Amino acid sequence: MADTASDGNGRTYAPDADHAFPDDRLNAVLEFLDDDPEVQTYLDAQNVNPVQRKGYNDHGSKHISIVRNRALCLYDLLKEAGVPFNGAADQGLDEADESVIIALAATLHDIGHVVHRDSHAYYSIPLAADILDRILPEFYDTEDAVRVKGETLHAILCHHTSEDPLTTEAGVIRVSDALDMERGRSRMPYEMGGRGINTLSSQAIRNVSLQRGDERPVLVEIEMTNAAGVYQVDNLLKAKLRDSGLEDDVRIVAVNINEDTDQLVERIEL
């Protein structure tokens, strides 16, 4: 399989690359989403409440781009390793629909932020449902559209709530949401004076890469510059990996690349 990442670090899905799954339907859906004015407006508008009004990290179009790219790269690595996916399969859908569900859920999982940051996953459901009702008939008949919609909404709901994912597709979304942790995500609240733990810990993360693993199908390598990054890894990413269904498939290694000999934390492995 050709490398799925244009930057060589498993961070960017490249539509023209060879993948371990059928990608024609996915690529058509991605092109539609990127050209859709309503979707793109939501991705911009959903950043106002979390960033400007609450001082949290980025939840806008950049966050969505990162999460979607990493979700598709993670999916590709898992498929290459033969990890079974059950969301589309349980509904009698095609293998080609697995990646569509993942891409749609990654794109729409945070639109509930236009209502409120708190409990946003629940607000995302009706908003995403309306969008899916408009988009899915472009690609599916009525029966398949209903099934893809249901699986997409399940993945959206499970990304950031107490509900555990019941499908591998939803597990990919849950984990990928936490893989957007590098310092760029906290740029806006940091420049606005925010110094909360989410902002400071994100500032400590220099790089996140997804690679083929040896012991497990996927290796996530995280480079951090100081111990504040531990919060992102141990409190946020670890929590998302737990009960995702991917605990046995993803190995996470975080390394403090600061050469200071008095480092509080040198390495974390999940």
Side-chain angles (χ1 to χ4, degrees):
M1 182 188 76
D3 199 332
T4 62
S6 61
D7 60 5
N9 288 311
R11 296 183 302 197
T12 306
Y13 171 76
D16 295 334
D18 294 328
H19 301 112
F21 60 90
D23 59 10
D24 287 348
R25 190 172 301 165
L26 166 66
N27 292 337
V29 170
L30 289 176
E31 184 176 359
F32 187 99
L33 291 171
D34 289 343
D35 291 338
D36 187 81
E38 182 183 16
V39 171
Q40 296 306 312
T41 302
Y42 265 116
L43 300 190
D44 182 49
Q46 71 191 36
N47 221 19
V48 172
N49 277 328
V51 175
Q52 292 180 226
R53 296 171 178 166
K54 298 280 285 185
Y56 287 0
N57 286 350
D58 174 44
H59 285 80
S61 56
K62 184 63 175 179
H63 169 63
I64 295 304
S65 174
I66 291 171
V67 171
R68 192 171 77 185
N69 274 289
R70 291 183 181 173
L72 291 173
C73 289
L74 175 58
Y75 170 69
D76 202 4
L77 289 167
L78 293 169
K79 290 291 287 187
E80 182 186 24
V83 174
F85 279 73
N86 66 309
D90 288 350
Q91 294 286 0
L93 295 165
D94 296 337
E95 180 186 11
D97 298 319
E98 296 170 354
S99 59
V100 171
I101 291 166
I102 289 171
L104 288 170
T107 303
L108 302 174
H109 76 278
D110 269 346
I111 64 172
H113 278 96
V114 300
V115 180
H116 205 290
R117 160 66 187 175
D118 300 340
S119 301
H120 68 274
Y122 294 102
Y123 302 130
S124 291
I125 295 300
L127 295 173
D130 286 347
I131 293 174
L132 293 170
D133 284 342
R134 176 174 59 82
I135 291 176
L136 290 175
E138 300 285 335
F139 302 94
Y140 296 97
D141 61 25
T142 299
E143 181 177 343
D144 285 350
V146 168
R147 295 179 184 276
V148 171
K149 174 184 175 181
E151 293 303 316
T152 301
L153 294 178
H154 172 73
I156 290 173
L157 181 65
C158 295
H159 88 272
H160 192 55
T161 71
S162 59
E163 283 79 9
D164 295 332
L166 303 179
T167 69
T168 320
E169 289 93 329
V172 166
I173 296 299
R174 187 184 184 103
V175 172
S176 298
D177 186 40
L179 291 176
D180 179 16
M181 61 171 64
E182 288 143 313
R183 61 181 59 182
R185 189 174 186 199
S186 62
R187 175 181 59 81
M188 286 182 282
Y190 191 83
E191 289 179 353
M192 293 165 61
R195 294 298 184 269
I197 185 60
N198 277 287
T199 299
L200 294 177
S201 60
S202 180
Q203 284 285 308
I205 304 296
R206 175 173 293 181
N207 185 59
V208 177
S209 65
L210 282 70
Q211 307 171 24
R212 299 177 182 88
D214 294 327
E215 301 175 8
R216 300 181 188 181
V218 180
L219 171 64
V220 178
E221 287 193 342
I222 301 166
E223 296 178 353
M224 57 186 182
T225 57
N226 62 65
V230 172
Y231 179 83
Q232 289 285 324
V233 179
D234 201 41
N235 289 64
L236 301 182
L237 180 53
K238 183 178 180 180
K240 289 293 185 75
L241 182 61
R242 184 187 305 120
D243 297 325
S244 69
L246 299 178
E247 298 93 328
D248 295 332
D249 301 312
V250 178
R251 178 187 176 206
I252 298 171
V253 177
V255 179
N256 192 335
I257 60 174
N258 192 326
E259 296 181 355
D260 186 349
T261 56
D262 294 327
Q263 297 177 46
L264 293 175
V265 178
E266 292 185 0
R267 178 185 174 95
I268 298 175
E269 183 164 346
L270 305 181

